[in-house]
Amino acid sequence: MSSSADSKGCDATPKTEWPELVGSTIKEATEKIKAERPDLNVEPVPVGTIVTDEFDPNRVRLWVDIVAEVPKIG
């Protein structure tokens, strides 16, 4: 056997999930995903938002639910 799916060799399966990013900021999560998989589009989406259910192999949705700064006009 050459390598497992968890290895980081050139024959490794590309990563499809990032459980270690739960609790990270949107910026941190986006940067980490883009560093590991620059071919993907990262979309922050507020929890509760209605989204289409089609599968897009080039998209990662970041489900977010915290207001980080005071909302204000301007």
Side-chain angles (χ1 to χ4, degrees), residues 14-15 18 33-42 57-59:
K15 195 167 185 179
W18 291 264
I33 294 167
K34 293 300 276 181
E36 294 182 3
R37 294 286 310 272
D39 57 311
L40 299 177
N41 299 316
V42 181
N58 297 313
R59 175 186 62 216

Side-chain angles (χ1 to χ4, degrees), residues 52-74:
T52 58
D53 64 355
E54 85 282 349
F55 181 77
D56 181 348
N58 297 313
R59 175 186 62 216
V60 174
R61 287 184 174 138
L62 296 178
W63 294 97
V64 297
D65 67 352
I66 297 172
V67 176
E69 293 185 21
V70 176
K72 60 184 175 183
I73 295 175

Side-chain angles (χ1 to χ4, degrees), residues 4-65:
S4 70
D6 290 336
S7 69
K8 295 197 177 227
C10 60
D11 59 344
T13 303
K15 195 167 185 179
T16 60
E17 295 183 348
W18 291 264
E20 71 276 14
L21 296 178
V22 172
S24 299
T25 66
I26 295 169
K27 182 179 183 209
E28 290 168 340
T30 300
E31 288 174 354
K32 174 79 170 172
I33 294 167
K34 293 300 276 181
E36 294 182 3
R37 294 286 310 272
D39 57 311
L40 299 177
N41 299 316
V42 181
E43 296 180 359
V45 181
V47 170
T49 300
I50 297 173
V51 296
T52 58
D53 64 355
E54 85 282 349
F55 181 77
D56 181 348
N58 297 313
R59 175 186 62 216
V60 174
R61 287 184 174 138
L62 296 178
W63 294 97
V64 297
D65 67 352

